Amino acid sequence: MGKGILIHLQDVNESKKSSKLDIWLDEERENLLCDITSLVKIESVAQEEDPTSDEPFGSECKKALDQFLYISRRDKMESYNHDGYCASAIIGSSNKTKPEIGIWNHLDVVPVGSGWTYPPLKCTIKDGYVIGRGVQDNKGPAMAVHYAMKYCLQQDLIKNIRVRQILGCQEESGMRDVKHYLENEKAPNYSFVADCGFPVCCGEKGHYNVTFKSRNYFSRFKELSAGTAANMIPDEATAVLVTEQGEKTYQCRGIGGHAAFPPGSKNAIGMLAAKLKKVIGRDKNYLDLLEFLYRTASDGYGRKLGIACEDELSGKLTCNAGILKLEQGKTILSLDIRYPITVSGASIKKQLYSEADKSGFDIIKEEDDPPYYMNEKSPFVQTLMSAWKEETGQNDEPFVMGGGTYARKIPNAIGFGPGQDRDFSVLGLSEGHGNCHSADEAESVDNIQKAVKIYVNALVKLDQWVGKGMVNNENI
């Protein structure tokens, strides 16, 4: 399918539709914010529960799933609970043989963490922003998608495809939710995941999680701790050192953030290791330990571990030391590594094995999730790009990112928004606050509404494309 056809899929009455959509969005603004609030107030951090129960990720995730199902049924959508792992809502053609477009979100969140200025579970509205855990990642985006579908349903815009929004409950800590869905339900013909930035993310770096355990006991430490999740840059690290004069506590305060995006952050583990190296004395075992912690957590790019690399498509490898703890006197350290799409995970593992061995550590757990990439010239990508360009007037290109989303687990999937530029200066937040996985996570209400418009346009374009007979299940 040629680019020219994509450009001319826009309906001649689109300007009137856009005006009508703007009016509708203004009327629905308070309802949209109330629905986001109803999800944010639920502390849906995924837990490891009985996989055969109706709440495999804990009661809070089940509450979030139930709340979404309430919202979708209230808005007259065909909705399903998939064994407590996911929920889905459908609009469009009643003909189940029609191509299905999947739109994926998640309702679980990373732990709240510390240092919030605003209540993390209350959804504060201030200066055009909504603030609370999940407003960016991923409850706010889930509602942007829902309201786009709601508008399309009310206006009867989707006739040739089935659009299914699918929401999981363990995206942040394993993605067993999407695995369960795909094992028990038919995958959509093509999907986009609303859990990154605009325009189109057509690929994601490889994702290597590894946990080390020291061979030696470290009895001089009564406490050594930092972080709650490997994919969060820890903003606080603590050590309690036992000395002849008694116990002495050392604490370092960094700047938290998402593991895949080191700029602007400071890993507290690296700061603590640097401080302790100056006070620990000449005990080689302790110095080897602290040097290893420092090398893993000092720059965010793995330079001091010898694994730094990059490529033109996906940029630099990132390396985050996310969790540090003592376990029966031995040190446990977990890393989150995102590597470029042209790089082999095996080469990174080989180097890390060598670094760990010479520093007195063994690898006790690892998981390598290879990168993926969809050609940016594919008609599916170009259709979504066309919708975004029309609504924004911008002319950026598809990109590859380090963030990990459901797209890497789903056949024929890419990322598509809704992240856009934000100006947190109006909120007066502390340095490092405002972003996803950070304290005072915030999102512009205008951005959320703009995302609704982009998604409406994209769904209409996909529906028109199929309606013109220009697509089948193999080449959508």
XYZ file of all heavy atoms in Angstrom, residues 125-213:
704
model
N -5.249 17.398 41.299
C -5.357 18.190 40.083
C -4.783 19.568 40.379
O -5.287 20.288 41.255
C -6.819 18.331 39.609
C -7.525 16.969 39.588
C -6.870 19.011 38.254
C -6.966 15.989 38.606
N -3.722 19.973 39.656
C -3.060 21.241 39.943
C -2.438 21.825 38.667
O -1.694 21.143 37.989
C -1.969 21.056 41.004
C -1.293 22.339 41.463
C -0.279 22.051 42.581
C 0.299 23.325 43.167
N 1.117 24.074 42.196
N -2.770 23.064 38.387
C -2.158 23.802 37.278
C -2.194 23.030 35.957
O -1.224 23.010 35.187
C -0.712 24.179 37.610
C -0.618 25.136 38.787
O -1.523 25.968 38.943
O 0.358 25.040 39.553
N -3.319 22.384 35.698
C -3.478 21.655 34.446
C -2.858 20.282 34.426
O -2.811 19.641 33.368
N -2.367 19.825 35.580
C -1.754 18.504 35.689
C -2.536 17.641 36.672
O -3.182 18.153 37.596
C -0.304 18.604 36.166
C 0.674 18.955 35.071
C 0.780 20.260 34.597
C 1.470 17.975 34.485
C 1.666 20.582 33.574
C 2.359 18.293 33.462
C 2.452 19.589 33.011
O 3.317 19.890 32.004
N -2.457 16.344 36.458
C -2.969 15.377 37.418
C -1.755 14.637 37.985
O -0.851 14.245 37.248
C -3.995 14.423 36.758
C -3.402 13.708 35.568
C -4.536 13.417 37.762
N -1.708 14.494 39.322
C -0.534 13.954 40.014
C -0.943 12.741 40.837
O -1.873 12.812 41.650
C 0.092 15.014 40.941
C 0.385 16.306 40.164
C 1.365 14.481 41.597
C 0.718 17.489 41.052
N -0.241 11.631 40.665
C -0.517 10.416 41.430
C 0.148 9.227 40.764
O 0.458 9.257 39.568
N 0.364 8.170 41.541
C 1.032 6.988 40.984
C 0.147 6.346 39.906
O -0.983 5.942 40.159
C 1.337 5.977 42.090
C 1.972 4.689 41.600
C 3.300 4.922 40.835
N 4.458 5.026 41.690
C 5.456 5.862 41.466
N 5.429 6.696 40.434
N 6.492 5.880 42.299
N 0.695 6.274 38.700
C -0.005 5.637 37.594
C -0.611 6.593 36.586
O -1.117 6.147 35.550
N -0.574 7.907 36.834
C -1.208 8.820 35.881
C -0.493 8.804 34.528
O -1.110 9.037 33.494
C -1.293 10.263 36.432
C -2.202 10.319 37.649
C 0.082 10.832 36.760
N 0.821 8.535 34.537
C 1.565 8.328 33.286
C 1.669 6.852 32.932
O 1.570 6.484 31.763
C 3.000 8.869 33.425
C 3.202 10.338 33.182
C 4.698 10.648 33.085
O 5.441 10.012 32.341
N 5.137 11.617 33.854
N 1.885 6.024 33.949
C 2.264 4.630 33.734
C 1.428 3.710 34.624
O 1.842 3.375 35.715
C 3.760 4.469 34.024
C 4.326 3.128 33.626
O 3.681 2.409 32.849
O 5.416 2.794 34.111
N 0.239 3.290 34.204
C -0.302 3.390 32.868
C -1.816 3.591 32.929
O -2.543 3.342 31.983
C 0.082 2.116 32.101
C -0.253 2.102 30.641
O -0.989 1.233 30.213
N 0.265 3.025 29.865
N -2.277 4.095 34.111
C -3.718 4.236 34.314
C -4.294 5.420 33.548
O -5.399 5.332 32.995
C -4.017 4.339 35.808
C -3.696 3.048 36.555
C -3.849 3.180 38.059
C -3.549 1.844 38.756
N -3.659 1.939 40.231
N -3.546 6.537 33.502
C -3.987 7.662 32.694
C -4.100 7.293 31.226
O -5.137 7.535 30.583
N -3.064 6.685 30.639
C -3.163 6.227 29.255
C -4.287 5.225 29.011
O -4.922 5.247 27.954
C -1.788 5.586 29.022
C -0.875 6.366 29.900
C -1.675 6.623 31.144
N -4.531 4.338 29.976
C -5.627 3.371 29.814
C -6.957 4.080 29.640
O -7.799 3.678 28.821
C -5.674 2.428 31.018
N -7.150 5.160 30.385
C -8.398 5.900 30.261
C -8.428 6.750 28.994
O -9.499 6.982 28.423
C -8.621 6.759 31.502
C -9.096 5.958 32.712
S -10.702 5.124 32.430
C -10.189 3.450 32.018
N -7.277 7.208 28.513
C -7.246 7.908 27.229
C -7.728 6.981 26.112
O -8.527 7.369 25.248
C -5.845 8.425 26.937
N -7.240 5.745 26.124
C -7.685 4.762 25.138
C -9.170 4.485 25.300
O -9.933 4.445 24.319
C -6.875 3.457 25.267
C -7.493 2.344 24.424
C -5.421 3.687 24.876
N -9.600 4.286 26.551
C -11.013 3.978 26.785
C -11.912 5.088 26.248
O -12.936 4.814 25.604
C -11.279 3.787 28.286
C -12.737 3.649 28.598
N -13.422 2.460 28.455
C -13.657 4.570 29.010
C -14.686 2.643 28.767
N -14.863 3.915 29.108
N -11.551 6.345 26.500
C -12.409 7.442 26.052
C -12.377 7.592 24.532
O -13.379 8.025 23.928
C -12.039 8.739 26.769
C -12.810 8.870 28.071
C -12.480 8.097 29.175
C -13.902 9.711 28.178
C -13.191 8.178 30.362
C -14.636 9.815 29.356
C -14.283 9.038 30.446
O -15.007 9.118 31.617
N -11.266 7.248 23.891
C -11.254 7.227 22.429
C -12.229 6.172 21.914
O -12.997 6.418 20.957
C -9.842 6.943 21.924
N -12.218 4.999 22.538
C -13.152 3.945 22.147
C -14.588 4.343 22.466
O -15.515 4.060 21.686
C -12.766 2.636 22.841
C -11.463 2.043 22.341
S -10.893 0.601 23.294
C -12.258 -0.543 23.080
N -14.783 4.995 23.582
C -16.123 5.446 23.980
C -16.694 6.408 22.936
O -17.867 6.300 22.547
C -16.045 6.118 25.350
C -17.372 6.643 25.899
C -17.158 7.253 27.278
C -18.442 7.842 27.848
N -18.230 8.415 29.207
N -15.866 7.349 22.477
C -16.320 8.291 21.464
C -16.652 7.559 20.160
O -17.701 7.796 19.545
C -15.249 9.351 21.210
C -15.655 10.372 20.176
C -16.505 11.427 20.509
C -15.193 10.274 18.865
C -16.893 12.357 19.543
C -15.568 11.203 17.903
C -16.415 12.242 18.247
O -16.798 13.162 17.299
N -15.773 6.668 19.736
C -16.020 5.914 18.505
C -17.292 5.091 18.599
O -18.044 4.972 17.617
C -14.827 5.007 18.202
S -13.344 5.874 17.652
N -17.554 4.536 19.767
C -18.767 3.740 19.966
C -20.006 4.624 19.890
O -20.985 4.291 19.203
C -18.698 3.028 21.323
C -19.919 2.191 21.717
C -20.119 1.037 20.729
C -19.758 1.658 23.141
N -19.987 5.741 20.578
C -21.145 6.626 20.597
C -21.447 7.205 19.220
O -22.610 7.420 18.869
C -20.928 7.750 21.610
C -20.944 7.291 23.059
C -20.748 8.430 24.038
O -20.537 9.583 23.660
N -20.832 8.118 25.330
N -20.405 7.465 18.445
C -20.584 8.045 17.108
C -20.678 6.992 16.008
O -20.811 7.342 14.835
C -19.409 8.992 16.815
C -19.238 10.114 17.819
C -20.462 11.003 17.912
O -21.040 11.365 16.887
N -20.851 11.361 19.125
N -20.599 5.716 16.385
C -20.707 4.607 15.437
C -19.694 4.754 14.301
O -20.037 4.642 13.111
C -22.132 4.515 14.884
C -22.406 3.197 14.163
O -21.723 2.201 14.496
O -23.289 3.161 13.290
N -18.428 4.975 14.652
C -17.379 5.229 13.669
C -16.656 3.973 13.193
O -16.004 3.989 12.152
C -16.346 6.203 14.248
C -16.843 7.596 14.635
C -15.709 8.411 15.235
C -17.439 8.312 13.430
N -16.739 2.892 13.960
C -15.953 1.689 13.658
C -16.891 0.597 13.154
O -17.715 0.077 13.905
C -15.183 1.200 14.902
C -14.373 2.332 15.517
C -14.295 0.017 14.547
C -13.345 2.949 14.582
N -16.751 0.228 11.869
C -17.678 -0.710 11.250
C -16.999 -1.930 10.642
O -17.657 -2.948 10.423
C -18.480 0.006 10.161
C -19.261 1.227 10.660
C -19.980 1.896 9.508
C -20.697 3.172 9.963
N -21.740 2.880 10.951
N -15.706 -1.835 10.358
C -15.038 -2.879 9.579
C -13.999 -3.673 10.365
O -13.433 -4.622 9.829
C -14.358 -2.239 8.367
C -15.337 -1.469 7.508
O -16.293 -2.032 6.970
N -15.111 -0.165 7.384
N -13.723 -3.266 11.582
C -12.769 -3.976 12.434
C -13.372 -4.144 13.824
O -14.382 -3.506 14.168
C -11.429 -3.220 12.557
C -11.644 -1.802 13.122
C -10.706 -3.183 11.237
C -10.354 -1.022 13.368
N -12.762 -5.002 14.592
C -13.064 -5.101 16.021
C -11.876 -4.517 16.778
O -10.726 -4.866 16.500
C -13.294 -6.566 16.432
C -14.624 -7.117 15.938
C -14.710 -8.618 16.081
N -14.666 -9.077 17.458
C -15.722 -9.076 18.293
N -16.890 -8.615 17.885
N -15.598 -9.545 19.515
N -12.141 -3.620 17.691
C -11.098 -3.001 18.493
C -11.241 -3.530 19.918
O -12.283 -3.380 20.548
C -11.222 -1.461 18.494
C -10.116 -0.855 19.356
C -11.164 -0.923 17.074
N -10.183 -4.156 20.409
C -10.209 -4.723 21.758
C -9.112 -4.082 22.608
O -7.932 -4.195 22.295
C -9.997 -6.237 21.726
C -10.140 -6.903 23.114
C -9.673 -8.346 23.102
N -10.511 -9.217 22.310
C -11.491 -9.986 22.796
N -11.738 -9.978 24.104
N -12.190 -10.768 21.993
N -9.517 -3.393 23.658
C -8.557 -2.901 24.646
C -8.331 -4.000 25.671
O -9.279 -4.539 26.238
C -9.059 -1.636 25.344
C -8.033 -1.056 26.316
C -8.534 0.169 27.074
O -9.736 0.426 27.142
N -7.621 0.916 27.673
N -7.053 -4.318 25.905
C -6.693 -5.390 26.827
C -5.804 -4.808 27.915
O -4.790 -4.170 27.625
C -5.949 -6.526 26.091
C -6.770 -6.998 24.878
C -5.659 -7.698 27.035
C -5.967 -7.747 23.844
N -6.188 -5.016 29.162
C -5.450 -4.459 30.290
C -4.983 -5.574 31.208
O -5.775 -6.403 31.656
C -6.317 -3.480 31.094
C -6.802 -2.247 30.321
C -8.173 -2.531 29.731
C -6.872 -1.034 31.230
N -3.674 -5.595 31.472
C -3.099 -6.605 32.342
C -2.789 -6.076 33.721
O -2.999 -4.892 34.017
N -2.257 -6.959 34.574
C -2.005 -6.612 35.978
C -0.605 -6.988 36.454
O -0.349 -6.979 37.656
C -3.035 -7.291 36.884
S -4.670 -6.545 36.815
N 0.317 -7.323 35.522
C 1.670 -7.636 35.971
C 2.716 -7.166 34.966
O 3.756 -7.777 34.806
C 1.827 -9.146 36.227
C 2.955 -9.487 37.198
C 3.607 -10.829 36.916
O 3.476 -11.403 35.850
N 4.342 -11.344 37.891
N 2.485 -6.053 34.346
C 3.425 -5.546 33.342
C 4.752 -5.155 33.964
O 5.807 -5.330 33.363
C 2.799 -4.343 32.629
C 3.502 -3.934 31.349
C 4.640 -2.952 31.559
O 4.792 -2.410 32.683
O 5.391 -2.716 30.601
N 4.708 -4.614 35.182
C 5.910 -4.091 35.818
C 6.807 -5.168 36.415
O 7.940 -4.884 36.789
C 5.525 -3.088 36.921
C 4.762 -1.859 36.446
C 5.636 -0.877 35.687
O 6.829 -1.164 35.478
O 5.115 0.174 35.283
N 6.339 -6.391 36.518
C 7.120 -7.375 37.275
C 7.026 -8.796 36.735
O 6.927 -9.745 37.498
C 6.676 -7.371 38.746
O 5.284 -7.646 38.859
N 7.054 -8.947 35.403
C 7.110 -10.301 34.876
C 6.286 -10.571 33.639
O 6.585 -11.458 32.848
N 5.163 -9.876 33.473
C 4.300 -10.012 32.303
C 3.704 -11.403 32.142
O 3.450 -11.860 31.028
C 5.039 -9.589 31.022
C 5.512 -8.158 31.024
S 6.085 -7.603 29.391
C 6.802 -5.999 29.806
N 3.456 -12.084 33.255
C 2.730 -13.349 33.161
C 1.280 -13.130 32.748
O 0.602 -14.054 32.285
C 2.778 -14.112 34.492
C 4.138 -14.722 34.800
C 4.078 -15.737 35.925
N 3.711 -15.140 37.198
C 2.572 -15.364 37.831
N 1.650 -16.166 37.312
N 2.326 -14.795 38.998
N 0.788 -11.901 32.925
C -0.583 -11.586 32.541
C -0.787 -11.719 31.038
O -1.717 -12.386 30.576
C -0.962 -10.181 33.025
C 0.089 -9.122 32.681
O 1.161 -9.470 32.148
O -0.162 -7.938 32.969
N 0.116 -11.110 30.258
C -0.029 -11.193 28.803
C 0.249 -12.609 28.307
O -0.385 -13.083 27.359
C 0.888 -10.152 28.112
C 2.355 -10.475 28.319
C 0.591 -10.076 26.625
N 1.166 -13.309 28.955
C 1.431 -14.709 28.597
C 0.166 -15.555 28.777
O -0.191 -16.357 27.904
C 2.563 -15.254 29.470
C 2.973 -16.690 29.169
C 4.189 -17.078 30.009
C 4.692 -18.488 29.666
N 3.775 -19.539 30.109
N -0.518 -15.352 29.899
C -1.749 -16.094 30.155
C -2.808 -15.767 29.100
O -3.484 -16.672 28.588
C -2.281 -15.748 31.549
C -3.560 -16.450 31.905
N -3.593 -17.671 32.528
C -4.863 -16.099 31.711
C -4.843 -18.046 32.720
N -5.643 -17.107 32.227
N -2.932 -14.486 28.775
C -3.937 -14.091 27.780
C -3.663 -14.774 26.442
O -4.579 -15.347 25.821
C -3.946 -12.573 27.607
C -5.011 -12.103 26.647
C -6.288 -11.781 27.095
C -4.754 -12.014 25.272
C -7.277 -11.382 26.202
C -5.734 -11.622 24.385
C -6.994 -11.306 24.851
O -7.983 -10.925 23.967
N -2.433 -14.721 25.986
C -2.111 -15.262 24.670
C -2.179 -16.785 24.634
O -2.363 -17.376 23.564
C -0.725 -14.783 24.240
C -0.607 -13.272 23.992
C 0.835 -12.898 23.701
C -1.524 -12.822 22.864
N -2.025 -17.425 25.786
C -2.161 -18.882 25.851
C -3.623 -19.323 25.823
O -3.923 -20.467 25.456
C -1.501 -19.418 27.116
C 0.025 -19.412 27.066
C 0.649 -19.855 28.383
O -0.086 -19.912 29.396
O 1.864 -20.115 28.399
N -4.523 -18.415 26.183
C -5.929 -18.791 26.327
C -6.877 -18.066 25.378
O -8.041 -18.450 25.261
C -6.382 -18.542 27.765
C -5.735 -19.479 28.759
O -6.198 -20.593 28.965
N -4.642 -19.025 29.364
N -6.395 -17.015 24.714
C -7.221 -16.250 23.785
C -6.456 -16.056 22.488
O -5.219 -16.102 22.453
C -7.572 -14.868 24.372
C -8.205 -14.894 25.748
C -9.619 -15.449 25.756
O -10.241 -15.482 24.660
O -10.099 -15.847 26.820
N -7.172 -15.810 21.422
C -6.544 -15.544 20.130
C -5.896 -14.163 20.149
O -6.513 -13.182 20.577
C -7.585 -15.616 19.015
C -7.013 -15.413 17.630
C -8.109 -15.482 16.569
C -7.535 -15.224 15.173
N -8.589 -15.253 14.123
N -4.662 -14.079 19.689
C -3.988 -12.788 19.630
C -4.656 -11.903 18.585
O -5.111 -12.384 17.544
C -2.515 -12.977 19.283
N -4.751 -10.607 18.843
C -5.250 -9.696 17.804
C -4.398 -9.806 16.539
O -3.231 -10.199 16.588
C -5.107 -8.311 18.456
C -5.099 -8.570 19.935
C -4.411 -9.902 20.094
N -4.981 -9.457 15.405
C -4.221 -9.490 14.155
C -3.011 -8.564 14.241
O -1.905 -8.925 13.851
C -5.105 -9.081 12.981
C -6.252 -10.038 12.779
O -7.357 -9.796 13.263
N -5.997 -11.147 12.100
N -3.230 -7.372 14.735
C -2.146 -6.424 15.005
C -2.510 -5.646 16.258
O -3.691 -5.499 16.597
C -1.908 -5.464 13.830
C -0.904 -5.980 12.831
C -1.207 -7.079 12.043
C 0.343 -5.397 12.705
C -0.287 -7.574 11.132
C 1.278 -5.883 11.800
C 0.948 -6.978 11.023
O 1.869 -7.463 10.134
N -1.464 -5.155 16.947
C -1.694 -4.463 18.215
C -0.799 -3.245 18.333
O 0.293 -3.197 17.753
C -1.381 -5.392 19.410
O -2.270 -6.476 19.497
N -1.273 -2.268 19.111
C -0.351 -1.257 19.611
C -0.520 -1.147 21.112
O -1.594 -1.403 21.659
C -0.490 0.099 18.901
C -1.792 0.824 19.063
C -2.073 1.559 20.208
C -2.713 0.834 18.022
C -3.256 2.282 20.328
C -3.904 1.550 18.135
C -4.171 2.278 19.293
N 0.592 -0.835 21.767
C 0.643 -0.739 23.220
C 0.719 0.739 23.597
O 1.636 1.447 23.171
C 1.858 -1.505 23.778
C 1.934 -1.368 25.294
C 1.788 -2.972 23.378
N -0.248 1.206 24.359
C -0.297 2.620 24.761
C 0.459 2.800 26.074
O -0.122 3.072 27.124
C -1.748 3.077 24.898
N 1.792 2.637 25.990
C 2.610 2.663 27.202
C 4.020 3.147 26.880
O 5.000 2.616 27.385
C 2.651 1.255 27.813
C 3.285 1.226 29.193
O 3.392 2.293 29.830
O 3.683 0.137 29.644
N 4.110 4.154 26.015
C 5.419 4.743 25.711
C 5.175 6.168 25.227
O 4.251 6.823 25.700
C 6.189 3.900 24.689
S 5.414 3.773 23.075
N 5.984 6.658 24.317
C 5.811 8.005 23.809
C 5.292 7.991 22.381
O 5.380 6.990 21.673
N 4.738 9.121 21.943
C 4.417 9.305 20.537
C 5.686 9.732 19.791
O 6.592 10.299 20.393
C 3.354 10.392 20.379
C 1.952 9.954 20.667
C 1.182 10.632 21.604
C 1.386 8.882 20.004
C -0.114 10.251 21.873
C 0.089 8.487 20.266
C -0.670 9.178 21.199
N 5.824 9.511 18.482
C 4.805 8.890 17.635
C 4.761 7.366 17.795
O 4.118 6.885 18.710
C 5.192 9.335 16.236
C 6.674 9.579 16.294
C 6.948 10.078 17.685
N 5.451 6.612 16.944
C 5.397 5.151 17.008
C 6.737 4.603 17.477
O 7.787 4.953 16.936
C 5.044 4.543 15.633
C 5.185 3.023 15.671
C 3.631 4.927 15.222
N 6.694 3.734 18.476
C 7.879 2.995 18.905
C 7.848 1.651 18.184
O 7.043 0.783 18.520
C 7.874 2.793 20.423
S 9.238 1.765 21.004
N 8.708 1.499 17.182
C 8.657 0.294 16.357
C 9.628 -0.788 16.832
O 9.784 -1.822 16.183
C 8.911 0.627 14.901
S 10.451 1.487 14.587
N 10.278 -0.563 17.992
C 11.156 -1.580 18.534
C 11.565 -1.266 19.960
O 11.473 -0.117 20.412
N 12.008 -2.283 20.677
C 12.487 -2.131 22.051
C 13.801 -2.876 22.226
O 14.010 -3.947 21.639
C 11.462 -2.679 23.046
C 10.181 -1.875 23.111
C 9.159 -2.475 24.069
O 9.505 -3.427 24.797
O 8.021 -1.985 24.085
N 14.667 -2.313 23.020
C 15.944 -2.957 23.319
C 15.735 -4.305 24.002
O 14.675 -4.571 24.582
C 16.770 -2.064 24.244
C 17.221 -0.745 23.638
C 17.969 0.076 24.674
C 18.400 1.418 24.135
N 19.067 2.243 25.163
N 16.767 -5.133 23.950
C 16.761 -6.351 24.748
C 16.745 -6.011 26.225
O 17.242 -4.954 26.638
N 16.189 -6.892 27.022
C 16.016 -6.626 28.453
C 16.588 -7.811 29.241
O 16.044 -8.912 29.204
C 14.531 -6.450 28.760
C 14.249 -5.889 30.103
N 12.965 -5.603 30.543
C 15.072 -5.540 31.127
C 13.022 -5.118 31.767
N 14.292 -5.079 32.140
N 17.696 -7.552 29.929
C 18.391 -8.597 30.685
C 18.338 -8.252 32.167
O 18.874 -7.229 32.597
C 19.837 -8.702 30.206
C 20.683 -9.730 30.929
C 20.263 -11.048 31.081
C 21.932 -9.377 31.444
C 21.052 -11.986 31.730
C 22.733 -10.311 32.087
C 22.286 -11.613 32.237
O 23.070 -12.543 32.880
N 17.665 -9.080 32.939
C 17.609 -8.936 34.396
C 18.521 -9.974 35.026
O 18.453 -11.162 34.671
C 16.180 -9.138 34.918
C 15.303 -7.940 34.641
O 15.706 -6.807 34.854
N 14.097 -8.187 34.150
N 19.360 -9.538 35.960
C 20.291 -10.466 36.590
C 20.421 -10.140 38.072
O 20.423 -8.965 38.466
C 21.675 -10.415 35.886
C 22.253 -9.008 35.916
C 22.645 -11.406 36.497
N 20.495 -11.179 38.893
C 20.678 -11.012 40.336
C 21.953 -11.720 40.768
O 22.179 -12.885 40.422
C 19.476 -11.578 41.118
O 18.301 -10.852 40.745
C 19.683 -11.432 42.619
N 22.788 -11.006 41.517
C 24.051 -11.530 42.031
C 23.935 -11.798 43.530
O 23.202 -11.115 44.240
C 25.183 -10.510 41.833
C 25.377 -10.049 40.421
C 24.823 -8.861 39.984
C 26.135 -10.790 39.537
C 25.021 -8.404 38.695
C 26.340 -10.355 38.236
C 25.780 -9.159 37.810
N 24.734 -12.770 43.987
C 24.830 -13.046 45.426
C 26.303 -13.238 45.782
O 27.025 -13.981 45.096
C 24.041 -14.305 45.789
C 23.990 -14.599 47.284
C 23.083 -15.795 47.571
C 22.925 -16.049 49.050
N 22.013 -17.195 49.319
